[in-house]
Amino acid sequence: MRATRAAVALLATFSIVTAACSDDDKDTTATTGAPDTTTADTGGTDTTTAGETDYLWTPNADLLAAAEGEVNIIVWAGYAEEAWVTPFEELTSCTVNVTNGETSDQMVQLMQGGEYDGVSASGDATQRLIAGDEVEEIDTAEYSSYADIFEGLKLQAWNSVGGKPMGIPHGRGANLLVFNTEAFPEAPDSWGVMFDGGAASDGAVSVYDSPIYIADAALYLMATQPELGITDPYALDQAQFDAAVALLEQQKALTSQYWALYTDQQAGLEDGTVLAGTTWQVIVNLALENGAKIDAVKPKEGATGWSDTWMLSSKAANPNCMKLWMDWIASPWANAQVAVYFGEAPSNAKACELDGMAEHCTTFHAAEDEYWSDVWYWTTATEECLDGRTGVSCVPYTEWVNAWTTLRS
Amino acid sequence: MGERLDDAPLVAEPASAGGRAKGPSRPSRAINRYFHGRRKLGVATLLGLPLSWMLVVYIGSLALLVVSALYRLHPRTQKPTHDLTTDNLLAAFKFWDSDVWDGVVFPFLRTAGVALLVTAICAAIALPVAFFVAKIAWKWSRRGLIVAMLLPLWAGYLVKGYAWRAMVSPAGGRFAAAGKGGGGFLESTIHWTPGFGRVAIVLAEVYLWLPYMIMPIYAGLDRLPPSLLDAAGDLGARPFRTFRSVILPMLKPSVAAGAIFTFSLTLGDYIVPKIVNNGTERFMFGSSIDAVLGAPNQPLAAAFTLWPLVIIILFLLSMKRAGAFESL
């Protein structure tokens, strides 16, 4: 009897431990899916070339002298892979600890905690980070790569304040329409397959699980219901916003999946349970490697997209290693690596001059301003309408969050 | 008692320690002497640290949760400010508003329903299993059977979650990639699977928390004198009557104790539900809290958590009436 009592007491302890662990686990596994932390032994060579590759980068000597030995960064999945993290660790002796973010919202939340040195933030996160003083203005003199960044990406509304740069542009891309090539022998050219249905993908549509996706619905309405008068998918007055949310309610019937973990969508694309969806090029690349029969397009209505910026936390414990990382990831060789891996346009003009990169830069329209004219970079909706309308107030992002919560419950 | 402790070392003092100064110079003895006769001080010193931990860290953080539900979120930076507002509480509790009902209250009640269902299923499985182990199985096999019942606890929580994902994973579509889409274990062996979703969530939750129901019931049955069962039989009760009139009333506290575990653990779980759900819906209320927290809207998330808090308190009170705490 005593033994069984002890067993019950032991169980009670177990349950507490399990409950506690499940909270911790959330941060490390449920939010990332991919290997969470990348660390590698530091080699300790101080030359620009380690091994046979020419990395085309010289670390800033002052920063290198004061390097802290490690750096903790929040990144989009695919932005910090071994291929270009390891050389960085060898060149600088800064060990890189990587945490993947699922959504911009989550990245903002993590940065507010103040435990990270920096982040690869999209435009909808950068403005919140700047407004909250989470990030610092950068001194471009400390970054040898800054001079080679495409001028069209510098000093934009999402990465600067009053003409002062708040980060290093990383690259840009569009949220694409992915489709199964067997279900769609003829490539679809409209987001309509995801919103109106009547296509092979009905009931097998995969939607990005973030409030920012409301802008995708607004973008579709911008093209299909001009009478609503939407001119910017992030500047929605109440009537326009309600129309977008109603469209998303209607979309539920077509949907099989809302993905936040990119691996969820990848699995769906591979096993054929997802036949159409909104995606990132990197997911398409990974699924294609596993034999998925898919392709992706930017539909005729245009697309939402991102222009990402590396930002330095104002509470960074390792500012020198972070600055070195920001300079490294924007340098031609590393920037080319990440752009190819992720499937996006690089930000460094010289990245396009490297061997074999010309085709990539053409495919992803790195230097074509016209291609980007109908790509609406993620940005944070504010009460003040972003499209310049006066006399009407727009729905702020906090309301987007509430609407999305209701939609998803 | 104090006197005996004071005297004991003198008797037990080993000869080899003879050179050392005796008595007062040893600090432990000085402490003993100080506490002698100061009973209240002794109790306070003993319990002070754990109690203050309980009050400050445990109750204190709960209080902080309630307070932070009153903070207003800065609209631009999305950080909580120290302006107080009741907006978050209204957004969580204004059940007569259809948006709040659809978005918060109903999902929460649904989650509580799932927790009750999981508890009921666990009890239905645990009663016969525990009865078999405690009363029917050969005595020598009992220890091994108990270990077998506890074995699932040796695997990690996430491991079990992903194992269930692999079990219920449905067959892929017609357009699956080569070698993909064969489905999970269930699909490939018995050609039936509940697929990702609600049924999978209930199955996984039952699996996760079943040992927490079995053990209290087993402990309760272990305490049940076999003579009672014999007496019931001698008085002409058939097995079912014995179970209903003798065993079940005596097991009520044990079932209630197990229910506390299974109900609260299911109510708060959202990670395994997310894993076996494949993102089809936010089925468990915890997912909503998680999403709102990540929005980031910390004050609103805090307001949401008051729902499970209220229900758990009510549930604990009702289980206390059933005698759960005498059985722990």
Side-chain angles (χ1 to χ4, degrees):
Chain A
M1 197 164 105
R2 279 179 75 109
T4 50
R5 267 178 183 246
V8 173
L10 199 66
L11 263 177
T13 321
F14 259 125
S15 72
I16 293 162
V17 172
T18 318
C21 287
S22 50
D23 280 345
D24 292 345
D25 290 339
K26 186 228 155 232
D27 275 340
T28 52
T29 311
T31 59
T32 57
D36 181 57
T37 304
T38 314
T39 51
D41 291 330
T42 48
T45 49
D46 282 353
T47 53
T48 53
T49 51
E52 288 171 11
T53 317
D54 184 358
Y55 296 121
L56 306 173
W57 181 66
T58 315
N60 179 309
D62 294 341
L63 296 177
L64 195 62
E68 293 86 357
E70 67 167 347
V71 60
N72 302 305
I73 55 176
I74 307 164
V75 304
W76 288 108
Y79 274 14
E81 299 293 317
E82 221 178 298
W84 57 95
V85 167
T86 309
F88 172 76
E89 291 178 329
E90 284 168 5
L91 292 170
T92 64
S93 302
C94 294
T95 304
V96 182
N97 304 312
V98 179
T99 301
N100 285 347
E102 280 173 24
T103 60
S104 288
D105 296 334
Q106 197 192 42
M107 289 180 164
V108 172
Q109 189 211 352
L110 292 175
M111 282 294 283
Q112 284 178 353
E115 283 161 24
Y116 294 88
D117 298 310
V119 61
S120 64
S122 298
D124 52 333
T126 54
Q127 287 156 329
R128 278 180 273 168
L129 293 172
I130 293 170
D133 286 329
E134 314 293 349
V135 289
E136 265 187 7
E137 187 190 327
I138 61 156
D139 175 6
T140 53
E142 288 180 317
Y143 303 89
S144 58
S145 310
Y146 194 77
D148 301 326
I149 305 280
F150 285 111
E151 288 302 323
L153 291 173
K154 284 183 190 171
L155 300 179
Q156 297 297 311
W158 60 86
N159 61 20
S160 67
V161 172
K164 290 174 183 155
M166 298 298 292
I168 309 277
H170 167 88
R172 54 184 166 177
N175 296 310
L176 302 173
L177 172 66
V178 65
F179 58 94
N180 187 295
T181 47
E182 291 189 348
F184 290 92
E186 211 165 304
D189 67 342
S190 163
W191 290 111
V193 296
M194 286 186 66
F195 289 111
D196 298 334
S201 57
D202 288 8
V205 165
S206 172
V207 174
Y208 185 47
D209 190 3
S210 165
I212 203 74
Y213 187 72
I214 293 171
D216 288 60
L219 178 95
Y220 184 63
L221 290 176
M222 194 157 88
T224 54
Q225 293 188 30
E227 65 276 14
L228 283 169
I230 301 174
T231 57
D232 177 335
Y234 305 100
L236 306 173
D237 62 36
Q238 195 64 49
Q240 295 165 340
F241 184 79
D242 292 345
V245 172
L247 182 62
L248 293 167
E249 281 290 350
Q250 178 192 320
Q251 185 191 38
K252 270 186 175 179
L254 308 171
T255 303
S256 69
Q257 177 190 59
Y258 288 84
W259 65 275
L261 278 174
Y262 73 98
T263 45
D264 277 354
Q265 192 189 44
Q266 189 193 330
L269 290 170
E270 287 169 14
D271 70 17
T273 50
V274 167
L275 298 179
T278 177
T279 196
W280 300 332
Q281 185 69 44
V282 65
I283 302 175
V284 175
N285 294 352
L286 291 168
L288 281 172
E289 265 175 44
N290 287 341
K293 301 157 186 168
I294 53 168
D295 198 0
V297 293
K298 186 180 82 168
K300 63 184 179 200
E301 292 92 1
T304 56
W306 70 88
S307 179
D308 291 348
T309 308
W310 285 98
M311 295 184 130
L312 171 67
S313 169
S314 51
K315 297 166 215 147
N318 309 297
N320 295 311
C321 276
M322 186 63 208
K323 287 175 184 174
L324 285 168
W325 169 262
M326 286 162 72
D327 194 28
W328 161 255
I329 197 70
S331 67
W333 184 83
N335 196 237
Q337 296 288 311
V338 68
V340 169
Y341 183 87
F342 193 86
E344 64 185 340
S347 62
N348 191 311
K350 284 192 178 158
C352 292
E353 295 165 13
L354 298 181
D355 276 355
M357 279 300 289
E359 195 190 334
H360 178 85
C361 286
T362 314
T363 311
F364 289 94
H365 317 274
E368 283 172 56
D369 286 343
E370 202 194 326
Y371 176 86
W372 301 103
S373 62
D374 65 350
V375 173
W376 296 88
Y377 299 128
W378 282 342
T379 188
T380 307
T382 55
E383 214 157 299
E384 192 183 325
C385 292
L386 298 169
D387 59 358
R389 278 185 290 172
T390 51
V392 59
S393 73
C394 280
V395 180
Y397 189 71
T398 44
E399 293 296 320
W400 290 41
V401 173
N402 295 345
W404 190 256
T405 307
T406 309
L407 184 91
R408 293 283 289 112
S409 294
Chain B
M1 189 167 116
E3 274 160 312
R4 246 189 58 196
L5 277 175
D6 277 353
D7 292 337
L10 288 176
V11 179
E13 196 85 33
S16 60
R20 270 194 287 161
K22 289 190 180 164
S25 71
R26 291 180 59 187
S28 62
R29 285 184 51 124
I31 293 169
N32 280 348
R33 193 156 298 162
Y34 181 76
F35 279 105
H36 177 66
R38 294 181 168 94
R39 181 171 268 278
K40 279 186 181 162
L41 186 70
V43 172
T45 319
L46 185 68
L47 296 182
L49 209 60
L51 263 184
S52 58
W53 189 88
M54 183 81 186
L55 281 175
V56 175
V57 180
Y58 205 75
I59 308 285
S61 62
L62 274 183
L64 210 60
L65 195 70
V66 177
V67 172
S68 65
L70 294 171
Y71 288 160
R72 189 189 297 281
L73 194 74
H74 192 287
R76 272 197 89 98
T77 65
Q78 294 201 301
K79 281 161 103 172
T81 63
H82 292 290
D83 292 346
L84 299 185
T85 173
T86 54
D87 290 357
N88 301 312
L89 291 177
L90 284 176
F93 285 88
K94 199 172 156 194
F95 57 84
W96 54 93
D97 182 305
S98 69
D99 272 0
V100 177
W101 176 266
D102 294 343
V104 184
V105 184
F106 179 71
F108 175 70
L109 294 178
R110 184 177 63 196
T111 306
V114 172
L116 279 178
L117 179 66
V118 168
T119 302
I121 297 175
C122 282
I125 298 173
L127 277 167
V129 169
F131 187 80
F132 174 80
V133 175
K135 298 291 176 207
I136 300 176
W138 287 301
K139 259 208 158 99
W140 56 263
S141 67
R142 208 160 280 170
R143 206 170 282 260
L145 287 169
I146 293 171
V147 170
M149 291 189 305
L150 295 181
L151 211 55
L153 294 175
W154 290 51
Y157 167 87
L158 286 172
V159 172
K160 287 183 276 192
Y162 280 102
W164 271 93
R165 186 190 168 97
M167 293 257 287
V168 301
S169 172
R174 285 194 291 143
F175 306 112
K180 306 269 175 184
F185 178 76
L186 289 176
E187 180 63 39
S188 54
T189 50
I190 60 170
H191 304 294
W192 177 88
T193 170
F196 298 128
R198 301 178 176 194
V199 178
I201 290 175
V202 172
L203 285 175
E205 293 293 305
V206 167
Y207 174 81
L208 279 174
W209 313 130
L210 183 63
Y212 299 93
M213 180 65 95
I214 292 183
M215 281 320 287
I217 293 181
Y218 172 77
L221 280 168
D222 203 39
R223 280 197 293 264
L224 190 77
S227 54
L228 278 183
L229 303 183
D230 294 341
D234 291 348
L235 290 170
R238 289 162 184 274
F240 182 71
R241 180 65 193 263
T242 309
F243 177 75
R244 196 166 58 93
S245 304
V246 179
I247 300 175
L248 209 53
M250 291 195 71
L251 279 185
K252 209 168 121 190
S254 306
V255 176
I260 289 175
F261 290 130
T262 54
F263 182 82
S264 59
L265 288 168
T266 309
L267 192 72
D269 197 13
Y270 64 96
I271 295 164
V272 162
K274 192 173 166 182
I275 292 170
V276 299
N277 200 15
N278 201 32
T280 42
E281 60 177 343
R282 279 182 194 156
F283 188 56
M284 303 296 275
F285 191 61
S287 313
S288 302
I289 298 176
D290 180 43
V292 171
L293 183 66
N297 192 339
Q298 206 179 317
L300 187 61
F304 277 17
T305 58
L306 299 180
W307 267 113
L309 200 65
V310 168
I311 290 290
I312 283 289
I313 290 171
L314 291 178
F315 189 79
L316 284 178
L317 287 177
S318 69
M319 289 301 109
K320 183 172 177 287
R321 286 188 56 177
F325 297 104
E326 286 122 60
S327 172
L328 278 179

